[in-house]
């Protein structure tokens, strides 16, 4: 399997994980902080109290409120209406200039995206090589070891170099991706103790871009797993879509995310906790035990993003 998710940080502004909201894409190329507004993907836990909102409802309502507030942006203050007709024509001309500027900005971002795709392909052999070393399917070369040692010396003056004897054979790096995720500042808090067993089966993470002929730009992050006791899927994908045109910030604007449905094995769903509750029949006064599932924190909630609310949601029809 090829691994093409870069670990090093970068400074790229096209629609990639670098400029994706952290809540939308905590696993990211470069794994940097967000730079565009987001619709939260946090899955709110269900509360046992009266009037509790179902999971995701709070974030959906928040998004609805944000949409209503955004409608207020750009409301006229009356200034333009008070201007003379000739000045109003100048204002309209400025809008025309802005339209052309936006068209060039869209073209620029699209070309940046194509450049990213180009260099992702150029780096693919390096990701293939990295995965071969991690999985133990190939032994490191003396040149690779020497380059790594020189890098360690540069980063840490107290580093003690390893012996330069060539390796006797392949040596896989156990739990590499689990360890990488668990030690990342932006991801570690998403991983619970219950997730550890499943994430130890994570063998590869790959990044790919959506085809250029797609109506919306975007990218996909794929997580590859070895057979495990938790779910049937060999690959879990998370796809991010951006709006077709750039926003006021000059960058692509997050639209929505789509995750793979996880096929959990019986009693292995890490996104739920099961509890036994006693119920009493009001008529017969008999009791019974009921097994109830309750949403809980889990890294794997990452693959179940909520559906962003539409502008029409939250309004009821009124009688005439």
């Amino acid at each position: 399997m090829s691994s093409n998710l870069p670990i090093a940080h970068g400074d790229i502004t096209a629609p990639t994980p670098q400029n994706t909201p952290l809540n939308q894409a905590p696993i990211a190329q470069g794994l940097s902080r967000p730079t565009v507004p987001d619709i939260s993907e946090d899955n709110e836990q269900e509360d046992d109290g009266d009037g509790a909102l179902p999971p995701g409802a709070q974030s959906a309502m928040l998004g609805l409120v944000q949409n209503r507030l955004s409608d207020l942006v750009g409301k006229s203050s009356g200034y333009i209406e008070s201007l003379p007709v000739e000045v109003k024509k100048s204002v309209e001309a400025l809008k025309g200039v802005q339209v052309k500027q936006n068209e060039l900005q869209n073209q620029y971002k699209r070309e940046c995206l194509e450049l990213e795709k180009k260099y992702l392909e150029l780096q693919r052999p390096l990701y293939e090589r990295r995965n071969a070393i991690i999985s133990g399917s190939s032994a490191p070369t003396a040149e690779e070891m020497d380059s790594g040692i020189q890098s360690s010396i540069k980063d840490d003056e107290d580093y003690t170099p390893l012996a330069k004897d060539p390796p006797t054979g392949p040596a896989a790096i156990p739990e590499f991706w689990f360890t990488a995720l668990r030690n990342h500042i932006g991801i570690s808090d998403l991983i619970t103790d219950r997730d550890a067993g499943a994430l130890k089966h994570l063998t590869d993470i790959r990044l790919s871009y959506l085809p250029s002929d797609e109506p919306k730009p975007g990218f996909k992050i794929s997580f590859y797993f070895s057979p495990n006791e938790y779910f049937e899927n060999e690959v879990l994908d998370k796809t991010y879509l951006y709006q077709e045109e750039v926003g006021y910030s000059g960058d692509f604007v997050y639209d929505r995310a789509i995750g793979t449905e996880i096929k959990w094995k019986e009693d292995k769903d890490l996104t739920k906790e099961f509890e036994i509750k006693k119920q009493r029949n009001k008529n017969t006064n008999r009791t019974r035990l009921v097994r109830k599932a309750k949403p809980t924190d889990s890294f794997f909630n990452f693959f179940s993003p909520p559906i962003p609310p539409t502008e029409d949601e939250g309004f009821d029809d009124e009688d005439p």
Side-chain angles (χ1 to χ4, degrees):
M1 292 185 295
S2 65
S3 173
N4 65 358
L5 184 72
I7 293 178
H9 291 262
D11 184 20
I12 303 175
T13 56
T16 65
Q18 281 99 325
N19 61 20
T20 301
L22 187 61
N23 284 343
Q24 265 75 26
I27 312 302
Q29 177 192 18
L31 303 168
S32 60
R33 286 288 179 181
T35 59
V36 295
D38 70 317
I39 299 173
S40 176
E41 278 190 13
D42 295 336
N43 290 318
E44 302 294 339
Q45 291 192 8
E46 184 179 10
D47 189 80
D48 289 333
D50 293 337
L53 295 174
Q58 183 172 342
S59 58
M61 291 180 63
L62 177 59
L64 183 62
V65 172
Q66 290 174 337
N67 285 341
R68 296 302 169 211
L69 292 176
S70 66
D71 290 340
L72 300 176
V73 177
K75 292 292 184 180
S76 175
S77 64
Y79 168 73
I80 295 180
E81 287 79 1
S82 67
L83 296 174
V85 173
E86 293 302 317
V87 178
K88 288 181 180 179
K89 291 180 181 179
S90 296
V91 172
E92 292 301 321
L94 286 180
K95 293 180 182 178
V97 173
Q98 185 65 45
V99 168
K100 294 182 179 180
Q101 182 178 347
N102 290 344
E103 291 174 351
L104 287 175
Q105 186 70 11
N106 277 320
Q107 181 181 345
Y108 166 71
K109 288 298 180 181
R110 289 280 183 174
E111 291 183 8
C112 284
L113 179 57
E114 294 305 313
L115 190 62
E116 285 196 40
K117 292 179 181 179
K118 171 186 174 181
Y119 277 89
L120 178 63
E121 290 303 313
L122 291 174
Q123 295 177 75
R124 194 175 299 280
L126 299 177
Y127 299 137
E128 296 276 1
R129 180 59 186 157
R130 182 177 69 183
N131 187 63
I133 295 174
I134 292 172
S135 64
S137 62
S138 178
T141 65
E143 180 182 359
E144 290 169 339
M145 286 181 56
D146 183 65
S147 179
I149 291 172
Q150 295 305 317
S151 176
S152 296
I153 294 174
K154 181 179 179 181
D155 294 338
D156 182 6
E157 59 182 13
D158 296 327
Y159 174 76
T160 302
L162 300 172
K164 293 188 177 181
D165 299 334
T168 57
I173 304 175
E175 302 174 5
F176 173 85
W177 286 108
F178 170 57
T179 303
L181 298 183
R182 186 176 56 182
N183 285 279
H184 187 273
I185 188 173
I187 301 172
S188 58
D189 288 343
L190 302 175
I191 301 174
T192 68
D193 292 340
R194 298 171 69 244
D195 295 326
L199 288 176
K200 288 179 180 180
H201 290 275
L202 181 60
T203 61
D204 199 4
I205 302 177
R206 309 181 195 178
L207 173 70
S208 59
Y209 291 96
L210 300 185
S212 301
D213 56 1
E214 290 288 333
K216 293 185 177 182
F219 61 92
K220 178 172 67 175
I221 307 175
S222 300
F223 298 75
Y224 289 78
F225 290 85
S226 61
N228 60 80
E229 61 181 287
Y230 296 93
F231 45 80
E232 302 289 348
N233 311 67
E234 294 182 359
V235 183
L236 299 178
D237 293 326
K238 186 71 171 290
T239 302
Y240 293 90
L241 301 176
Y242 285 80
Q243 296 177 13
E244 295 182 49
E245 296 185 355
V246 298
Y248 287 109
S249 65
D251 211 338
F252 285 101
V253 179
Y254 170 81
D255 184 68
R256 60 192 174 95
I258 304 170
T260 296
E261 179 181 358
I262 302 178
K263 299 177 182 177
W264 296 104
K265 296 182 179 180
E266 187 176 1
D267 295 333
K268 294 295 184 179
D269 189 342
L270 297 173
T271 65
K272 293 182 176 63
E273 286 183 339
F274 296 92
E275 56 184 0
I276 304 298
K277 287 194 173 184
K278 182 183 293 187
Q279 291 184 343
R280 185 179 299 277
N281 189 299
K282 295 181 180 180
N283 298 321
T284 64
N285 208 34
R286 298 181 61 182
T287 61
R288 65 175 181 176
L289 298 179
V290 178
R291 189 168 180 264
K292 183 180 179 181
K294 181 180 180 180
T296 188
D297 291 335
S298 172
F299 169 83
F300 292 93
N301 286 323
F302 173 71
F303 299 99
S304 300
I307 300 175
T310 62
E311 292 187 1
D312 295 331
E313 289 181 2
F315 288 87
D316 297 326
D317 294 334
E318 295 183 356
D319 296 331

